[in-house]
């Protein structure tokens, strides 16, 4: 009887403790108390606005799960959707930060940037009158992208001549291919005609990756790839 009472009490206490941990309202009270303490007593009031605190809490919560779980605010979620669709309004350039300078990696074929004569290595020093000196790459990309047909003005410096010029381009629909050949195009020619060897590269995944992969394989198949 004593053993039964002891085990029963232990099971009851464990169950009660588990219920406390899973009680959403009780835990939300604790979260709200901490939120209010930080909001009203932190030394720098500009850094503890409610939207910022909640966003930080949500990001921290999701980061505890696994490397593939992440909280996205509406702005970042929209950017992710644009990237996976592989189609957006822009000027058609691939950019990166090189030694802290926003640099054009390559203009896309038949894009507004290619038609304007922009070259790989050109540096974008200002966008819409704002210097890019301390601008992050995502912020720069956001300024360059926008509604199709609307114009964007930016300043380009060519290192070989040290000449600066303002460029104004109308944004067009830019389609990004996720499957490319060895020349980063869509020709998919055999790289070894004698041994019938082909090559393709999936550089990122998007909504059209499966269709683009099938199309590339068909082109190679028509050439007798082995």
């Amino acid at each position: 009887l004593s053993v039964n009472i002891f085990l029963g009490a232990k099971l009851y206490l464990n169950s009660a403790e588990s219920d406390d941990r899973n009680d959403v309202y009780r835990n939300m009270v604790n979260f709200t108390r901490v939120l209010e303490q930080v909001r009203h007593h932190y030394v720098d009031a500009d850094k503890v606005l409610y939207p910022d605190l909640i966003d930080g809490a949500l990001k921290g919560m999701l980061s505890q799960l696994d490397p593939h779980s992440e909280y996205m605010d509406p702005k970042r979620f929209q950017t992710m959707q644009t990237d996976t669709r592989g189609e957006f309004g822009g000027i058609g350039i691939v950019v990166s930060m090189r030694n802290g300078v926003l640099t054009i990696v390559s203009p896309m074929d038949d894009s507004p940037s290619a038609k304007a004569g922009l070259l790989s290595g050109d540096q974008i020093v200002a966008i819409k009158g704002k210097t890019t000196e301390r601008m992050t790459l995502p912020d720069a990309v956001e300024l360059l992208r926008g509604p199709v047909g609307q114009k964007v003005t930016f300043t380009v410096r060519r290192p070989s001549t040290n000449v600066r010029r303002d460029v104004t381009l109308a944004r067009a629909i830019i389609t990004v291919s996720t499957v490319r050949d060895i020349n980063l195009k869509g020709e998919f020619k055999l790289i070894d005609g004698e041994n019938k060897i082909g090559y393709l590269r999936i550089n990122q995944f998007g909504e059209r990756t499966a269709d683009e992969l099938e199309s590339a394989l068909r082109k190679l198949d028509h050439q007798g790839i082995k």
Side-chain angles (χ1 to χ4, degrees), residues 37-49 52-53:
Q37 288 292 326
V38 174
R39 177 69 182 89
H40 293 292
H41 300 293
Y42 186 68
V43 63
D44 193 344
D46 293 337
K47 294 184 178 180
V48 289
L49 300 176
D52 297 331
L53 292 175

Side-chain angles (χ1 to χ4, degrees), residues 2-220:
S2 298
V3 171
N4 286 337
I5 293 175
F6 172 76
L7 292 176
K10 187 174 182 180
L11 288 173
Y12 173 78
L13 291 175
N14 288 340
S15 177
E17 183 180 356
S18 177
D19 288 342
D20 287 343
R21 290 198 300 266
N22 291 323
D23 187 344
V24 61
Y25 298 106
R26 182 171 299 182
N27 285 283
M28 284 302 297
V29 169
N30 186 37
F31 173 79
T32 304
R33 285 176 177 169
V34 175
L35 178 68
E36 290 302 313
Q37 288 292 326
V38 174
R39 177 69 182 89
H40 293 292
H41 300 293
Y42 186 68
V43 63
D44 193 344
D46 293 337
K47 294 184 178 180
V48 289
L49 300 176
Y50 282 120
D52 297 331
L53 292 175
I54 297 299
D55 279 353
L58 292 173
K59 291 176 182 176
M61 177 175 63
L62 271 295
S63 67
Q64 296 297 312
L65 301 180
D66 58 73
H68 310 291
S69 298
E70 179 184 6
Y71 168 73
M72 293 184 177
D73 56 31
K75 181 179 177 181
R76 184 165 183 187
F77 179 68
Q78 185 177 8
T79 301
M80 184 270 293
Q81 285 186 310
T82 300
D83 291 339
T84 55
R85 280 197 305 267
E87 187 176 283
F88 56 88
I91 59 175
I93 54 173
V94 179
V95 293
S96 69
M97 287 293 182
R98 293 182 178 176
N99 298 321
V101 181
L102 184 65
T103 305
I104 297 177
V105 177
S106 62
M108 299 178 182
D109 293 339
D110 199 32
S111 67
S113 61
K115 295 176 181 178
L118 298 181
L119 301 176
S120 175
D122 286 349
Q123 300 173 341
I124 300 178
V125 296
I127 305 174
K128 295 182 178 181
K130 299 179 181 178
T131 178
T132 59
E133 184 176 353
R134 296 184 179 179
M135 191 177 293
T136 65
L137 183 60
D139 289 340
V141 170
E142 184 180 357
L143 288 175
L144 292 172
R145 291 181 179 180
V148 175
Q150 287 191 7
K151 294 182 178 181
V152 58
T153 299
F154 53 97
T155 305
V156 175
R157 173 184 174 272
R158 184 156 293 172
S160 59
T161 60
N162 202 30
V163 173
R164 296 191 180 199
R165 67 184 178 107
D166 291 335
V167 180
T168 300
L169 298 177
R171 298 183 180 96
I173 296 178
I174 306 299
T175 302
V176 180
S177 298
T178 61
V179 182
R180 298 182 180 181
D181 59 15
I182 198 168
N183 297 316
L184 301 181
K185 296 183 178 180
E187 298 173 350
F188 300 103
K189 296 180 179 179
L190 296 181
I191 61 173
D192 187 338
E194 182 178 352
N195 297 308
K196 302 293 185 179
I197 297 175
Y199 174 90
L200 62 83
R201 172 188 174 190
I202 300 177
N203 59 297
Q204 69 181 59
F205 288 97
E207 293 180 1
R208 296 195 300 267
T209 301
D211 293 335
E212 292 178 4
L213 177 61
E214 182 178 1
S215 176
L217 291 174
R218 288 184 184 277
K219 290 181 179 180
L220 292 171

